[in-house]
Amino acid sequence: MENLTTQLQGVPLNHYIWLSAIIFTIGVIGVLTRRNAIVIFMSVELMLNAVNLLLTAFSVHSNDPSGQVFVFFIMALAAAEVAVGLSIIVMVYRNTKSIDINVLNRLKW
Amino acid sequence: MTIEQLIWLVPLLPFLGFVINGLGRKSLSKGLVGVIGSGVILASFIISVVIFFSLQGDTQKSHEVFLFDWISAGTLHIPLSFLVDPLSSIMLLIITGIGFLIHLYSTGYMHDDEGFGKFFSYLNLFVFFMLLLVLGSNYIVMFIGWEGVGLCSYLLIGFWYTNTAYASAAKKAFVMNRIGDLGFLLGVFLLFNFFGSVEFAKIFPQAAKMLPGNDTMVLITILLFIGACGKSAQLPLFTWLPDAMAGPTPVSALIHAATMVTAGIYMIARSSVLFDLAPLTQHIIAVVGIATALIAAIIALTQTDIKKVLAYSTVSQLGYMFLGLGVGAYTGSFFHVLTHAFFKALLFLGAGSVIHAMHHEQDMRHMGGLKGKLKTTFATMMIGTIAIAGLPPFSGFFSKDEILAHAYQASPILWGIGVLTAFLTAFYMFRMMFLTFSGKYRGTHHPEIHIHESPGSMTLPLIILAALAAIGGAINIPHVFGGNEWLAHWLSPVVAQHELELSHSTEFTLMGISVLAAVAATIYAYGKYVKGAHVPVADEAPRSALAKLSYNKFYLDEIYDFLFTKPLNALSKFFYKVLDTKFIDGIVNGLGWSTNEASKGIRLLQSGNVGFYIFMMVFGIIALLLYTFLYI
Amino acid sequence: MEQLLLLIFLPLAGAVISAFAGKSAKLISTVFAVASLVLALFLAINFIPDASTQFQVNLPWIQDLGISFHAGIDGISMLTVLLTNILVPIIILSSYNHDYKNPAAFYALILFMQTGLLLVFTAMDAFLFYIGWEAALIPIYFICAVWGGKDRIRINMKFFIYTIAGSLFMLMGIIYLYLQNPAHNFNIEAFYALNLDSVQQGWVFWAFFIAFAIKMPIFPFHTWQPDTYTAAPTQGTMLLSGIMLKMGIYGVIRWLLPIVPHGVQDWSCLAMVLSIIGVVYASLIAFTQKDAKRLVAYSSIAHVGLIAAGIFALNQQGLQGAMIQMLSHGINVVGLFFVLDIIFSRVKTNKIEELGGIAKVAPQLAITFLIIVLGTVALPGTNGFIGEFLLLLGVYQYGIWAAAIAGLTIIFGAVYMLRTYQNVMLGKTNELTITFTDIKGTEKLVLYTICALIIVLGVYPKPLLHLTEASVQHLLEQVNHKLTTVN
């Protein structure tokens, strides 16, 4: 265990930043290009987790645990969000038999 | 009892009369109302007489009586206090004395009117305000009375208010007075700024030390004069007075001849110290006065309503008084106020007696031959006519000639127009007398047989006033007749005096010419209306240009209507319909409308397309990031 | 201090009780309004007429933001408090000849508004002032929108948005002052002590001035007013014109002059010109109005214009004139609207041309109406004269032309008021007015009270002048001191 921690700390910060930037970009592109609400949802989760990763990395790097505490909050929040979001999507699907966001454009003026 | 202890009773009694008659106008009997209404004035008169004589025996000629603090703000302090001095004591006598006679007369004249109680309460209220006007020891208390009498004038002109024309005449009088009042107020403000007080006792001693030619003084006096123009019916504000004849005749006699309309002269005489400092204003006053006198006299020549003739004659005589003020004959003007009060009240009451007998017929074309029926009325009115025509030795002669002599000294042109006016005055007065009393009866709807002399309550005042009109000149007989000018002497502590510098022979010549003019006019009128039995033509009959101008009052009402009433009403409609509703409110509503319209456009961005929302969000984030990187 | 809290919250208590009182709300609200009047008179008697602020209350409220419940009464406040508490019972009594639907809510709203007004007139904390300012607006909105006449929803929406837009400017001004205040509180004394340069003062001036100008209203911010007055129920109109517009005037005196004297000095010329234009402009419009209620609304704009001009003249006479005229105008305008209400309740019209000859059938109404008209046209001996005289004298010291033009109100006022009186009361009775019945019961009580106030205040105004004199003097000293020492 000691070993793993030391090894992880051996990974330079740059790598974490690059990784999370890539994951985040994948998330953004997913949100922008996909029409399936569930896929968009998953992409949003990707973006969130990219941020989580970054927070943890910085937290370890600067020896400040508050970043990791933040991550826990975000995870709890994301769980709640998923619960609400998924249930909305399920309800939408039940009512319209579709989760294509281009079809779901009733919510306007 | 000293003056200080008595003086507050003088205005209080008429006020009590007003309250009692006003509250009891329904419950009190007519007799009681008449007794209370006249009684309080009589009591006031008696107290005034006492005050007058104790002032005469007193070495101190000016008593200030403080009642209470009225308005105070900052350096401004206006007490409600009275000033008893030779000028106000004489005014007290006139107001209460003639006031009482007219109240007495009214008990007969108004006897059959349903508004008897109301009439007496208004009349009492008028006397109260008039007394306040002359007793005030500062310009603001004077102004209470000044506007108060305007109110009573409004109420009494519109006494028979169910007649719309009468109600309009009342409104017109009030509004035209108000134009003058604005001038008066501004003048008082200027006085306050200049002297730091509105008290006579503080202003006049300071002013007496000043030299003539001060610009501020000119402005102050012009503004005060505008006030006097409104109240005393001078050009260009006189058109309300003839219309004011809509009121009951005793009202015309009291308010629109003897007392209220002379308030302007009283005010200027009271402020004579100030006016002496402003020669320019004096010139203006003299010119306005003589122009008013002449124009009103010309209009009076062709009027057919007996009261209208007297109304224009009043305007004309007031013009004389202003001429006197303008040429520095303050005492002469005030003397004319006195004599005019006697003979004009007499003439109006006489006219009232005629109207009473004729059952409210006022058109002289339907009168004639009344001298046999109305003997007392005829005799007394004749005395009044002679007095106003300026024939010696009646009162009008002395007062008019004093003014004319001073006018001659100032400018022979003024005197010339004055004599011309005197000629016209004599003519139209005798024309009125002859049309009414001589010749044959011309009435149509009222049989001659029913005409009879008025009751004693109405003829007694006529007789007393006739006596005063005949001998009233005695109080100021000039040196040229060996008199001692008692009035001038009496008023000298208050009113500025300017001695005549004419030789006695010049004075006699001037008098001779004006008497000759009056006699000539009398003879001409006699020839035309008695010998020639001429009767004025009907309203719509053709007239010569000058007669038309005179008959239609120089079209002044029409001119004012064209110059002021119509443009102001048009402006009012324009402001309301275009500027206010369309423009200003349009901007306000436009703001609301444009918000609505803008939101109609912007809401289209809310397309409901989630992809678009997300794209905009990412786009926004990137834009913000770029902004942060590039500029901060 | 207890007295002041009682004074402010007694009407609120009355409002709560009335709200649940059903049909008897009329009576209960009258009792509370009269009790408030008695209390206000009691305070007035115990008031020492010097410049100090008395009966002070200072309770902590939202301490973190420096907000406290700080209220007190000086001479200026005392007069406005008296105005409010004299007029509210009169207004409630004037509703006795009406049967409004849902009376509990109606009377509760009136009393609720009274508390709001009293907060405005006594607040010494800007936040409290703002709360009161808006608290007074909400009830009057409902009174007008629920019980009003034709087209009331649209007109009231406009009125509400217009005035609230103005107050938001004021809120910005208050917050700005709060941020500038080193002590970080809303205390009026701290605001007075602020040291702003003249540019800052100019901005704060405009933020406050717009709010007050809309409320009064000063030309050209007045266009909400005639419509609102016409559409509101009579009691609503009375509350608006009698008391509510005085909030604007009071605001100028209390919150504008001493806080930003430089701003006032820099812009007073414009404010003066607007006020005087308002006087002439509104008077002229009143000339040809056909609806008597609308005519009185325009005349009210003219009168308020003169009051504003007197205030911006910044001298003792002008300010004291403004104080007296606030009270007089409140009484007179309530009287006028009540007379019109009486006429409307009998013949169902306020169109001037359709009326006429009422004096013949209703002499008591004719006399009282005449006295109120005379008060409105400022005849000496009535309350209107004292105010107008002092105001014109104050304006005169600002400039003779200003006074000459503003003085036209003396003439124009007589023209349109007497024209109205003549067309409504004089002349021959027509088929509409022939069945007119004279005033009776509470109508008599209300009109006689108003007439008595008009005459008493006109003949003996000294107590009221005395009440405000020291405070006004103190205020002017404060202003002049700041003008001469700062910047």
Side-chain angles (χ1 to χ4, degrees), chain A residues 7-29:
Chain A
Q7 276 184 355
L8 275 176
Q9 277 167 344
V11 179
L13 185 63
N14 256 356
H15 293 199
Y16 289 105
I17 297 176
W18 276 111
L19 178 63
S20 54
I22 290 165
I23 299 173
F24 190 84
T25 315
I26 291 170
V28 170
I29 293 171

Side-chain angles (χ1 to χ4, degrees), chain B residues 9 48 71 142 191 362 428 458-459 471 507 536 540 607 616 623:
Chain B
L9 276 173
S48 300
I71 302 178
M142 186 193 248
L191 274 175
Q362 299 186 191
Y428 67 69
M458 288 170 69
T459 48
I471 59 159
E507 270 191 69
E540 57 281 354
S607 59
M616 286 313 289

Side-chain angles (χ1 to χ4, degrees), chain B residues 25 70 73-74 114 140 143 147 151 155 161-162 168 171 174 178 185 189-190 193 572 576 580 584-585 589, chain C residues 158 220 222-223 281 284 288-289 298 316-317 359-360 367 377-378 380 389 393 396 410 418 422 427 458-459 461:
Chain B
R25 64 189 186 282
W70 188 39
E114 52 177 328
I140 305 302
F143 192 67
E147 287 246 299
L151 164 69
L155 293 171
Y161 56 79
T162 46
S168 296
K171 185 182 67 185
F174 194 85
R178 272 267 159 137
L185 260 189
F189 291 160
L190 206 54
N193 252 24
S572 166
Y576 177 58
D580 212 50
I584 299 177
D585 205 27
N589 290 338
Chain C
K158 180 172 161 186
H222 64 271
T223 50
Y281 177 82
L284 271 176
T288 48
Q289 288 307 308
Y298 275 106
Q316 181 95 23
Q317 283 90 23
K360 196 85 200 161
I367 293 168
V377 303
F389 174 76
L393 183 58
Y396 174 82
I410 291 187
L418 290 183
Q422 181 188 339
V459 175

Side-chain angles (χ1 to χ4, degrees), chain B residues 205-483:
Chain B
Q206 286 186 55
K209 292 183 203 126
M210 292 168 57
L211 291 174
N214 186 320
D215 283 345
T216 320
M217 275 302 149
V218 173
L219 191 56
I220 290 175
T221 47
I222 285 182
L223 287 169
L224 289 179
F225 172 60
I226 291 174
C229 273
K231 191 106 296 181
S232 294
Q234 293 299 293
L235 272 176
L237 300 177
F238 76 76
T239 55
W240 67 268
L241 184 58
D243 288 10
M245 295 303 127
T249 308
V251 171
S252 310
L254 180 62
I255 302 184
H256 304 116
T259 53
M260 183 185 91
V261 289
T262 59
I265 292 116
Y266 166 79
M267 189 264 288
I268 292 181
R270 166 76 70 201
S271 323
S272 57
V273 185
L274 302 177
F275 283 82
D276 266 354
L277 294 175
L280 179 67
T281 316
Q282 291 191 306
H283 293 318
I284 295 173
I285 295 177
V287 171
V288 169
I290 193 70
T292 311
L294 183 64
I295 287 178
I298 292 174
I299 296 175
L301 292 177
T302 54
Q303 297 305 307
T304 52
D305 183 319
I306 186 166
K307 282 182 75 182
K308 283 273 158 75
V309 175
L310 289 173
Y312 281 105
S313 150
T314 307
V315 176
S316 177
Q317 296 301 310
L318 290 167
Y320 258 116
M321 297 172 205
F322 276 89
L323 170 67
L325 295 173
V327 297
Y330 298 114
T331 312
S333 285
F334 192 70
F335 185 24
H336 202 56
V337 167
L338 293 183
T339 56
H340 179 256
F342 298 146
F343 58 66
K344 193 48 71 63
L346 164 62
L347 286 167
F348 264 117
L349 294 186
S353 174
V354 171
I355 295 166
H356 189 70
M358 297 284 296
H359 286 248
H360 296 279
E361 172 64 78
Q362 299 186 191
D363 194 330
M364 294 189 294
R365 287 172 295 202
H366 299 140
M367 296 178 182
L370 297 178
K371 89 182 137 191
K373 298 274 183 189
L374 308 174
K375 287 201 180 60
T376 324
T377 307
F378 171 69
T380 50
M381 273 185 92
M382 197 45 131
I383 294 173
T385 305
I386 296 171
I388 194 175
L391 295 172
F394 288 20
S395 57
F397 165 75
F398 294 101
S399 53
K400 193 181 273 185
D401 273 305
E402 188 173 340
I403 291 173
L404 284 177
H406 276 88
Y408 181 80
Q409 190 176 311
S411 150
I413 300 173
L414 291 177
W415 173 82
I417 304 174
V419 172
L420 173 63
T421 311
F423 172 81
L424 296 175
T425 307
F427 175 75
Y428 67 69
M429 285 311 299
F430 279 103
R431 168 179 175 270
M432 181 197 87
M433 286 303 287
F434 295 146
L435 278 176
T436 310
F437 291 104
S438 310
K440 284 207 166 58
Y441 182 67
R442 296 182 294 273
T444 45
H445 62 268
H446 187 65
E448 190 180 2
I449 194 83
H450 288 176
I451 296 171
H452 53 81
E453 182 62 284
S454 306
S457 61
M458 288 170 69
T459 48
L460 182 66
L462 288 179
I463 295 166
I464 297 173
L465 283 169
L468 287 169
I471 59 159
I475 59 169
N476 201 30
I477 293 174
H479 295 304
V480 69
F481 289 120

